[in-house]
Amino acid sequence: MYLEKISVTGFKNYTQAEALFSQKFNCFTGNNGMGKTNILDAIYYLSFCKSYYNAIDSQNINTEAPFFVIQGFYSADNNRWEVFCGLKRSEKKQFKVNKKEYQRLSDHIGLFPLVMIAPEDTELIHGGSDVRRKFMDGVISQYNKNYLENLLKYNRTLMQRNALLKSFYEKHYFDISALEIYDEQIINLGNLIFKERQEFFRKFNEVFNQTYLQLTQNNEKVSLNYKSDLLENTFERLLTHSLDRDRAALYTNTGIHKDDLIFEINKVPVKKFASQGQQKTFLLALKLAQYQLISQLKKSKPILLLDDVYDKLDETRLHALMQHISTDEFGQIFITDTHPNRMNTAIKATQREVSFFNIRNGLVETSTGL
């Protein structure tokens, strides 16, 4: 599957723009602030019904426009899909495929698989555990719809349990039977989510290690570890032991919503001891392993978005990356860079099909490269 064409209206710094794409490499060059990243974000919208960079939809409307519209036209095996995303100020977002509107946006997730690699991914290393859980959940949700449904239900039930704990405190009473209703639900849902995360980690860890070795060709020992309260205790026992803390804190202190991934190189934390180059390579390996796992499980190659990926990469790592993604294991790829010469040299060395675009002040101009 690949994206043939995109059209945007009133989206971020774009008044109106459209582009036709190559089935392999699509390269966007231009100075910072011209709109390269915004094109990638529009493509991301078409897969996930939201922005990669700004969760508040209304803030993605051009300041001088009353609405934004993103339309994408996809093709695969003689089938075509038209994806429509539109939002008017102060109104509900519309999302359609072949003119049929979704009742639940979650039904769309996984239909057009996609992996995004961006400078903001450093939060996977330096951010809190919620960022790494979101990464896990984002991977699994693209190939397992039941997982996404269970996760949404778990989060809703968790909010209700926390609201009940707060209500107990405010009204100066406690009803264990009322709490147990929510306990039963989050235990059942949590166990399903935990089982799927364990299975994901088992598969992902192997792919990640292979990918890191391909990118570096050295003897660095990298490791991922899955951290969860449920690895050493049952959810029932955890909630029982945590009840007094929950009542004091007014929220649920234990469960799969506290899970984390631990990143290490040579048995030391990546966050504290890895160089910028090592961190960048570690993140690339994470995201490329995400790509390969989704591709294997869905039997379909995701679209790959690389936003300013050359930042902090030396020539050796850059060459290894380009050789890696130019293989037939990868499908359609979109790349942004501020240096046309660097991009032109790197892409043409792969000898694969490529389309070049120059971005200037919200205008998309087709170019022939250098």
Side-chain angles (χ1 to χ4, degrees), residues 40-41 116 121 131 182 202 216 230 289 309 319 358 360:
L40 297 196
D41 202 26
M116 176 79 150
D121 293 335
V131 181
Y182 294 109
R202 183 185 66 79
T216 59
L230 273 67
V309 74
H319 177 76
N358 184 50
R360 291 192 305 127

Side-chain angles (χ1 to χ4, degrees), residues 273-283 311-313 317:
F273 298 102
S275 67
Q276 285 192 338
Q278 287 176 315
Q279 289 186 13
K280 189 71 175 182
T281 305
F282 197 97
L283 289 169
D311 181 42
K312 300 184 181 70
L313 281 182
R317 295 174 195 263

Side-chain angles (χ1 to χ4, degrees), residues 3-20:
L3 179 61
E4 293 181 349
K5 175 183 175 181
I6 196 169
S7 172
V8 296
T9 301
F11 182 71
K12 296 192 173 183
N13 72 319
Y14 288 93
T15 302
Q16 173 68 49
E18 65 177 38
L20 298 172

Side-chain angles (χ1 to χ4, degrees), residues 93-144:
K93 177 169 54 182
Q94 282 190 310
F95 214 93
K96 304 176 185 179
V97 171
N98 293 339
K99 305 188 185 308
K100 183 178 180 180
E101 186 170 1
Y102 286 102
Q103 296 302 311
R104 302 183 309 170
L105 295 180
S106 60
D107 290 339
H108 181 73
I109 307 304
L111 184 58
F112 302 97
L114 179 148
V115 173
M116 176 79 150
I117 302 178
E120 287 74 10
D121 293 335
T122 55
E123 280 298 293
L124 278 168
I125 292 175
H126 300 288
S129 61
D130 59 313
V131 181
R132 291 177 287 279
R133 283 194 303 276
K134 183 180 178 182
F135 170 74
M136 275 196 294
D137 295 337
V139 179
I140 301 170
S141 296
Q142 288 201 71
Y143 64 78
N144 187 331

